[in-house]
Amino acid sequence: MMEIIDGKTVSNGLRQELKVKIAALKENFGKTCGLCVIIAGNDPASEIYVRNKMKACEETGIYSETVKLPETVTQEELNAAVKQQVARNDIDGILVQLPLPKGLNEEEALNLIPPEKDVDGLSDENMGRLALGKDTFPSCTPGGIIKLLEYYKIPMRGKHAVVLGRSNIVGKPMALLLLKNDCTVTICHSKTENLKEIVKTADIIVSAVGKVNFVTDDMVKDGAVVIDAGINRNNGHLCGDVDYVNVAKKASFITPVPGGVGPMTVTMLIYNTYESALRKINGRF
Ligand SMILES: NC(=O)c1ccc[n+]([C@@H]2O[C@H](COP(=O)([O-])OP(=O)(O)OC[C@H]3O[C@@H](n4cnc5c(N)ncnc54)[C@H](OP(=O)(O)O)[C@@H]3O)[C@@H](O)[C@H]2O)c1
């Protein structure tokens, strides 16, 4: 029996739980969780993402601030804006919205965020910590996928997980998190030979390639768990990397697009910001 992984419901439930926990931090410790999003330029997609993040903060009781910088901002000004947030005690999480306008060095700005405030998990130090299996904030999309697997009680230990894609935002941290959860992990990318045969041996497939119908039913073993992190447009329709209709006939669990992985990403940002505030109180990290 195939089960659809309902990311929207899981995400809403997690947000409700977080709302209660965030209120409890305030009541018991007088601590308000705070998130700052730094955005540069006027990319319309980024503006929508930032608005969604702010809305999620409002919903869950997180204090949020947006620092808007002009398209013409210099690296020095951007760095100064990040440092200013780093110094603040009331800000627990800092996120630099990507992509930055051309000519700016994303890595330089991200690496100014200390790991305890890097709720997007993209700094070198946080990635290194993840690779070393240390306590850290993983990047939000892979972190959300692990939460979905846990919610549906999908066994990971000893299972063969195949991750399609090796980007620093999705593929690589995904592989590291699955490894942390005792999967046997294979990472496939554009230079992989015999990709189809490899994917066919997977118990868990996570696709983060960004291509419509990349994962077809002839690549999927009966009963596999199929997680689709892709966000693509096909004739104006939002879709993932997986040929959903046909793959769903073989999978034991599958995420739809939209409504699967996507809703978890912003929720993980809220989760990480709450965790950061909690760790500060507990003197942990
Ligand atoms: N759900 C969410 O919230 C969320 C968040 C972030 C991203 N996404 C989506 O996830 C997808 C991936 O994002 P990304 O940022 O990781 O993209 P990316 O940086 O473009 O990485 C794509 C990866 O796919 C691999 N690839 C491309 N063509 C391939 C092929 N023919 N065979 C095998 N591998 C191939 C690339 O391999 P090489 O490394 O060899 O080039 C690369 O590692 C996109 O659709 C994006 O929109 C979703």
Side-chain angles (χ1 to χ4, degrees):
M1 205 31 209
M2 188 273 290
E3 200 172 337
I4 296 171
I5 296 181
D6 181 353
K8 207 160 169 47
T9 300
V10 179
S11 164
N12 286 342
L14 196 51
R15 283 192 198 187
Q16 283 312 314
E17 260 174 49
L18 284 166
K19 189 175 174 175
V20 173
K21 286 181 178 171
I22 288 164
L25 268 195
K26 173 111 176 136
E27 195 167 313
N28 300 332
F29 301 97
K31 169 73 188 146
T32 303
C33 301
L35 173 74
C36 178
V37 178
I38 299 173
I39 176 169
N42 309 303
D43 177 48
S46 291
E47 281 178 357
I48 295 172
Y49 293 144
V50 170
R51 225 175 301 136
N52 284 340
K53 288 166 188 173
M54 296 291 125
K55 218 174 103 209
C57 284
E58 215 172 283
E59 253 176 59
T60 49
I62 287 188
Y63 168 76
S64 69
E65 242 180 66
T66 312
V67 174
K68 273 184 132 303
L69 301 170
E71 184 87 27
T72 52
V73 68
T74 63
Q75 186 76 43
E76 290 66 36
E77 288 163 344
L78 171 66
N79 292 354
V82 176
K83 283 184 196 158
Q84 203 177 357
Q85 299 307 320
V86 171
R88 282 174 65 173
N89 218 14
D90 58 335
I91 293 297
D92 304 292
I94 303 166
L95 181 152
V96 176
Q97 184 66 39
L98 302 179
L100 289 170
K102 278 202 177 66
L104 293 174
N105 185 335
E106 293 180 351
E107 211 180 300
E108 192 178 316
L110 292 176
N111 284 334
L112 292 170
I113 308 172
E116 66 273 16
K117 289 194 178 189
D118 179 22
V119 287
D120 220 10
L122 299 180
S123 66
D124 289 359
E125 191 170 346
N126 248 346
M127 284 291 269
R129 291 175 79 110
L130 185 62
L132 294 169
K134 289 186 176 173
D135 203 7
T136 183
F137 296 126
S139 94
C140 293
T141 300
I145 290 173
I146 295 292
K147 281 267 180 284
L148 287 176
L149 293 171
E150 286 172 352
Y151 182 90
Y152 282 88
K153 300 194 167 48
I154 293 168
M156 287 185 263
R157 188 166 165 185
K159 300 296 177 191
H160 184 205
V162 173
V163 179
L164 301 169
R166 57 172 165 180
S167 73
N168 290 339
I169 293 185
V170 193
K172 237 178 260 169
M174 187 73 250
L176 290 167
L177 282 176
L178 288 163
L179 188 62
K180 197 172 179 186
N181 282 279
D182 295 328
C183 283
T184 303
V185 183
T186 304
I187 307 174
C188 295
H189 47 79
S190 68
K191 311 294 182 292
T192 299
E193 291 178 5
N194 305 322
L195 183 137
K196 193 168 166 175
E197 284 66 33
I198 295 168
V199 179
K200 238 184 152 158
T201 67
D203 302 303
I204 301 170
I205 301 165
V206 180
S207 186
V209 170
K211 290 201 161 105
V212 178
N213 286 337
F214 186 80
V215 179
T216 48
D217 60 346
D218 57 338
M219 292 163 76
V220 176
K221 145 173 122 177
D222 276 325
V225 175
V226 181
I227 308 290
D228 190 350
I231 302 178
N232 312 302
R233 292 239 161 234
N234 191 14
N235 296 327
H237 290 286
L238 197 64
C239 67
D241 293 347
V242 175
D243 173 10
Y244 183 83
V245 173
N246 292 310
V247 171
K249 291 177 192 153
K250 293 183 103 179
S252 56
F253 289 88
I254 190 165
T255 58
V257 179
V261 172
M264 290 300 287
T265 300
V266 174
T267 300
M268 289 312 291
L269 182 68
I270 302 297
Y271 180 88
N272 287 348
T273 304
Y274 163 73
E275 272 288 315
S276 170
L278 183 69
R279 289 174 191 195
K280 199 186 275 171
I281 287 166
N282 291 341
R284 192 161 64 88
F285 206 104

